[in-house]
Amino acid sequence: MSKVYLSSSEYPGVDSAVAIGAFDGFHLGHQRIIKELLALGHRGALDSVVYTFRRNPKLTTQKLGGLLSSNNERVQFASQLGVDSIVLEDFSTRFQNLTPEYFVQDVLIDHLNARVVVVGEDFRFGRGRTGNVDMMARLLHDSGRRLVTVKPVLIDGKICSSSVIRKAILAGDVEGAARYLGRSYSVQGVVVAGNHIGGKLGFPTANVDLSDPMKLLPGNGVYVVQAVIDGAAAGGVCNIGVRPTIVSGSRRTVEVHLLDFHRQVYGRLVTVQFVARLRDEQLFSSPADLARQISHDVAQARMILEQHDAVRKKIS
């Protein structure tokens, strides 16, 4: 498990290799940066450090509608990749006003003792994003340290980026998003009691209360999913939306009908992995019509999950 520090000032100051970025999603582009970080750390016997922020800077500067990964997920992804430490800095007003020169000297050199720094080619930093990779390379070189830049990952000629993934998810294109992430997009939450209407229709659902309210949800619709609860996996059909056939003016919810899973799930943490989109959310003329459609959704989901499992086994 990666060691977690809530400020660069908490870091013990051992010689390090540092990767800087928001790392929202830990997509394939981020994974390329981490791969380079780990290689440099191994060669130089350096502590590998991911330096990022507790609150994504773009939530402040660009008014993002949601995040691809929570802080807990980013720590989890960093640990899975083999990173030694992760620093979750506070993106405070004071931090935003640091000059590029001060950031390099105070944070990277004085606190993190970075012998080498790894960033993407388009990296910007410092007050007003006035610093670029050329400036950082010069500032580090003047202190006997160095900068390594990593080229972006291209998929079908398009740069792999958090913004591209975010657009895909909002459009419900979870399969497209998975190609950039290198895995299925997922959300986490605790199963809470609902109104039991799904059970009355013959398809009981687990109502998921998201752990992070800033987590980006796929666009309203019906999805094929894999759910993981207490280490046990089950296929399912997930509805994201306002349930127009059931409750007029309902708030947006996440409900999962688990296939062939009969354990008690209330109060349990569930991870919902989105495999494919089945259809848009619809208003049906009656609950009976909705039940017939759900039955059809379940049959489709079983076929898609069988194909999905077969592909995963072939890859592994």
Side-chain angles (χ1 to χ4, degrees):
M1 184 73 176
S2 300
K3 295 178 182 177
V4 180
Y5 303 95
L6 297 183
S7 169
S8 57
S9 61
E10 293 182 1
Y11 186 72
V14 298
D15 289 354
S16 67
V18 179
I20 311 173
F23 295 100
D24 189 21
F26 261 92
H27 55 63
L28 293 177
H30 296 145
Q31 291 171 41
R32 175 177 284 182
I33 291 174
I34 299 303
K35 183 178 180 180
E36 182 67 23
L37 170 74
L38 295 174
L40 290 166
H42 179 72
R43 287 201 295 269
L46 305 170
D47 195 49
S48 57
V49 179
V50 166
Y51 180 85
T52 186
F53 306 95
R54 296 201 292 278
R55 176 180 171 85
N56 190 309
K58 290 184 180 179
L59 285 173
T60 300
T61 61
Q62 298 183 22
K63 309 300 182 186
L64 291 185
L67 299 176
L68 300 178
S69 52
S70 66
N71 287 336
N72 286 339
E73 287 174 320
R74 288 188 296 162
V75 171
Q76 179 183 349
F77 294 146
S79 297
Q80 290 172 347
L81 292 171
V83 171
D84 295 317
S85 304
I86 181 167
V87 176
L88 297 169
E89 194 78 86
D90 179 17
F91 191 68
S92 63
T93 300
R94 174 189 172 278
F95 184 89
Q96 294 175 52
N97 287 319
L98 295 182
T99 64
E101 294 83 358
Y102 190 89
F103 172 76
V104 171
Q105 183 62 52
D106 185 71
V107 175
L108 296 182
I109 296 176
D110 292 346
H111 284 134
L112 298 181
N113 194 16
R115 311 309 304 181
V116 59
V117 176
V118 187
V119 297
E121 288 184 333
D122 61 349
F123 181 73
R124 309 285 300 196
F125 70 106
R127 184 170 58 206
R129 291 170 53 84
T130 52
N132 58 22
V133 293
D134 291 334
M135 179 185 290
M136 180 173 280
R138 174 175 55 79
L139 292 171
L140 288 170
H141 181 268
D142 289 347
S143 296
R145 297 139 200 270
R146 68 188 179 105
L147 179 71
V148 173
T149 57
V150 177
K151 293 183 179 298
V153 169
L154 298 179
I155 297 177
D156 294 335
K158 185 179 293 187
I159 292 178
C160 179
S161 69
S162 298
S163 59
V164 169
I165 298 168
R166 193 172 286 108
K167 289 178 182 178
I169 291 169
L170 287 172
D173 182 13
V174 294
E175 292 174 281
R179 296 179 62 226
Y180 290 93
L181 289 166
R183 64 183 184 280
S184 295
Y185 183 66
S186 64
V187 300
Q188 290 183 329
V190 174
V191 178
V192 297
N195 53 22
H196 305 291
I197 292 177
K200 295 176 183 177
L201 296 175
F203 300 96
T205 59
N207 296 269
V208 182
D209 184 20
L210 295 187
S211 301
D212 188 340
M214 288 307 300
K215 180 76 174 186
L216 188 70
L217 278 177
N220 288 1
V222 179
Y223 296 86
V224 181
V225 300
Q226 289 273 12
V228 180
I229 305 174
D230 293 337
V237 176
C238 175
N239 184 86
I240 297 177
V242 297
R243 304 174 297 170
T245 307
I246 303 300
V247 183
S248 178
S250 172
R251 67 181 180 86
R252 201 168 184 227
T253 61
V254 179
E255 297 180 287
V256 182
H257 171 63
L258 299 170
L259 306 179
D260 309 317
F261 191 90
H262 307 292
R263 300 184 192 179
Q264 175 59 256
V265 295
Y266 287 122
R268 302 292 187 181
L269 181 67
V270 57
T271 299
V272 182
Q273 302 168 347
F274 295 91
V275 176
R277 182 181 175 92
L278 286 177
R279 59 178 175 85
D280 293 339
E281 187 178 44
Q282 299 172 239
L283 172 61
F284 292 91
S285 58
S286 69
D289 286 343
L290 173 57
R292 280 190 287 271
Q293 179 60 55
I294 295 175
S295 179
H296 179 66
D297 294 338
V298 167
Q300 279 191 290
R302 290 186 184 279
M303 288 190 295
I304 291 171
L305 288 168
E306 286 181 7
Q307 295 168 355
H308 182 69
D309 289 342
V311 170
R312 286 197 303 178
K313 289 177 181 177
K314 184 176 182 180
I315 292 174
S316 61

